C-alpha cells in the first residue's frame, strides 16, 4: 500500500517537472509554475518559433497573428500567475501559458511526452488582382511583412515567400 502511494506521488511530481517544448522548428522547455498543471513557454521562443508578433511592456505582454492577438498581464509570483493564467516573470524571462495562447490564436497544441505548439497550414482560398499587386485570402490569419527596399517578394509567417506580382505569361 505504501509503495502504491509513493508511486502516485512520484507520478504527480513528474507531471509538474519541466517537459520538452517544440514550437515550430525551435525547441525549449515547458515549465509548470505553481504546480497547477498549466504549461508555460518562454515568450521569445514562442514568438520566434511561430513567427508571431510580440510586444512586451512593463506589466504585460502580447502575442499576435494577423488580426488576432492575446495579451497577458505579467506576474512575478508563480502561483498567482498560474491560477490567473497570466504571464510569469522568472529570472528576467517572461513565460506565457501555452494552451490559452493556442486557443486565442488558433494554434495547434499537443501535449504528450512533451508539448508541441504549431501553426496549422494556411490554405490559399482566393487571389484577387489589384492595380497595386495581388490580394491573397487564406483559410486562417497570417503575418505578412514587406521587406524594406524589396518590392519583389512578401514574407509570410517568416518562412514562406511569394511574389507580390505574378509573372506575365508572354
Amino acid at each position: 500500500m505504501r509503495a502504491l502511494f509513493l508511486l502516485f506521488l512520484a507520478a504527480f511530481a513528474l507531471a509538474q517537472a519541466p517537459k520538452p517544448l517544440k514550437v515550430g522548428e525551435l525547441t525549449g522547455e515547458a515549465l509548470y509554475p505553481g504546480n497547477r498543471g498549466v504549461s508555460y513557454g518562454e515568450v521569445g521562443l514562442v514568438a520566434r518559433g511561430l513567427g508571431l508578433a510580440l510586444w512586451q511592456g512593463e506589466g504585460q505582454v502580447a502575442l499576435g497573428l494577423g488580426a488576432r492577438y492575446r495579451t497577458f498581464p505579467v506576474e512575478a509570483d508563480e502561483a498567482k500567475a498560474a491560477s490567473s493564467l497570466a504571464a510569469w516573470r522568472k529570472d528576467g524571462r517572461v513565460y506565457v501559458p501555452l494552451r490559452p495562447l493556442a486557443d486565442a490564436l488558433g494554434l495547434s497544441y499537443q501535449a504528450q511526452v512533451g508539448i508541441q505548439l504549431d501553426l496549422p497550414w494556411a490554405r490559399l482560398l482566393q487571389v484577387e488582382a489589384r492595380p497595386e499587386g495581388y490580394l491573397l485570402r487564406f483559410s486562417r490569419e497570417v503575418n505578412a511583412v514587406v521587406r524594406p527596399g524589396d518590392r519583389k517578394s512578401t514574407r509570410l509567417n517568416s518562412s514562406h515567400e511569394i511574389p507580390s506580382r505574378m509573372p506575365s505569361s508572354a
Side-chain angles (χ1 to χ4, degrees), residues 59-71:
Q60 61 183 354
V61 62
L63 290 150
L65 176 62
R68 295 173 137 190
Y69 68 93
R70 175 67 197 262
T71 302

Side-chain angles (χ1 to χ4, degrees), residues 16-33:
Q16 304 304 307
K19 292 184 179 176
L21 171 63
K22 186 165 189 219
V23 183
E25 295 300 316
L26 300 180
T27 58
E29 203 171 54
L31 303 179
Y32 295 83

Side-chain angles (χ1 to χ4, degrees), residues 74-98:
V74 178
E75 296 287 346
D77 179 76
E78 68 179 89
K80 188 174 180 182
S83 65
S84 64
L85 297 179
W88 171 44
R89 187 180 312 277
K90 177 187 179 200
D91 300 330
R93 292 186 174 196
V94 175
Y95 296 82
V96 292
L98 299 174

